[in-house]
Amino acid sequence: MAYSAFSISFLNIFVARDAGLFKKHGIDVELIQMAGPLPIAALASGEIDYLTGYTTGIVATGQGAPLKGIMISLRKPPFYLIAEPSIQRPTDLAGKRIGVDRIGSLQHLVARLMLKNKGVDPDKAIFTQTGSVSNTVTSLGQGAVSAAILSGPHNVIMAQKGFRSIGAADELPTHFPTSGLVVNETKLKSDAPRIKNVIRVMLDATAF
């Protein structure tokens, strides 16, 4: 089972593992961190069985990948726009660098919508691709970017260091399913009983 980042977005799968919920349903799981296009290729080829990055999977289906989204865990990503202390308001970000994991990713899209929602033209900001969550946090901490899209626990840690929360994805009117379960289409026919058990695990994790 692949997840894209050590983030609150994927808390349910770590709960399921550490609380023994996978074992309860007779499933031996290996959690693998994979980002970018890699998990799509791995899922399509059968090298992994489940992808928890729902948005990544659904975008790939629109591009012809033989995948199906079967469950949504989060309707909106827990993304926060965190800025250096000198940034007092969203309009201060015009002409400043904002760190996101990848240009064209869900983080990038949500960041643009956050700015627009705050009355800021997103084209006036400079989006910088960092490649990973850890790189984004480092870039913000070292001043390479003036703001960044972060999720828990990183947004809380940076706030404790004096950085400022400028906005949150939860304020947006649109839903962006960020985590859940995506499978290979062929698995729905060949492995339906186990897929149902994995869904039960995810529901148990949410209840937990």
Side-chain angles (χ1 to χ4, degrees):
M1 180 175 287
Y3 65 97
S4 61
F6 188 66
S7 161
I8 199 76
S9 296
F10 306 103
L11 177 62
N12 59 338
I13 64 172
F14 297 107
V15 165
R17 180 193 64 187
D18 296 344
L21 302 179
F22 282 109
K23 289 183 179 180
K24 171 187 170 183
H25 290 278
I27 297 170
D28 183 19
V29 67
E30 180 183 2
L31 302 182
I32 305 172
Q33 185 171 347
M34 305 172 88
L38 186 61
I40 297 299
L43 187 60
S45 66
E47 293 179 22
I48 60 173
D49 298 295
Y50 302 90
L51 173 62
T52 56
Y54 193 86
T55 306
T56 304
I58 295 307
V59 169
T61 65
Q63 298 169 343
L67 312 177
K68 290 286 187 183
I70 59 172
M71 182 179 183
I72 293 172
S73 300
L74 282 180
R75 289 178 295 178
K76 291 185 180 181
F79 290 163
Y80 298 86
L81 183 58
I82 306 298
E84 59 188 11
S86 63
I87 302 296
Q88 298 293 317
R89 58 190 66 83
T91 51
D92 293 340
L93 290 172
K96 299 291 197 305
R97 291 190 176 277
I98 300 175
V100 295
D101 57 354
R102 286 183 300 108
I103 300 299
S105 68
L106 180 63
Q107 279 194 10
H108 183 207
L109 172 63
V110 170
R112 289 180 61 87
L113 290 173
M114 278 188 193
L115 291 178
K116 191 173 183 179
N117 192 51
K118 296 286 186 180
V120 181
D121 183 355
D123 291 331
K124 291 185 178 179
I126 304 167
F127 290 97
T128 300
Q129 178 172 291
T130 64
S132 70
V133 173
S134 58
N135 289 344
T136 301
V137 172
T138 300
S139 296
L140 182 60
Q142 294 179 349
V145 296
S146 297
I149 295 293
L150 299 176
S151 57
H154 307 290
N155 63 305
V156 176
I157 293 170
M158 296 308 282
Q160 290 172 344
K161 294 180 178 180
F163 289 80
R164 189 184 302 274
S165 182
I166 299 296
D170 195 49
E171 299 168 358
L172 299 174
T174 310
H175 288 170
F176 296 92
T178 181
S179 63
L181 288 175
V182 180
V183 299
N184 192 307
E185 284 183 343
T186 58
K187 285 279 187 179
L188 288 174
K189 299 176 182 178
S190 64
D191 208 14
R194 186 165 66 161
I195 288 175
K196 289 179 180 179
N197 271 349
V198 172
I199 292 174
R200 291 186 183 102
V201 171
M202 295 297 98
L203 293 174
D204 279 0
T206 300
F208 183 97

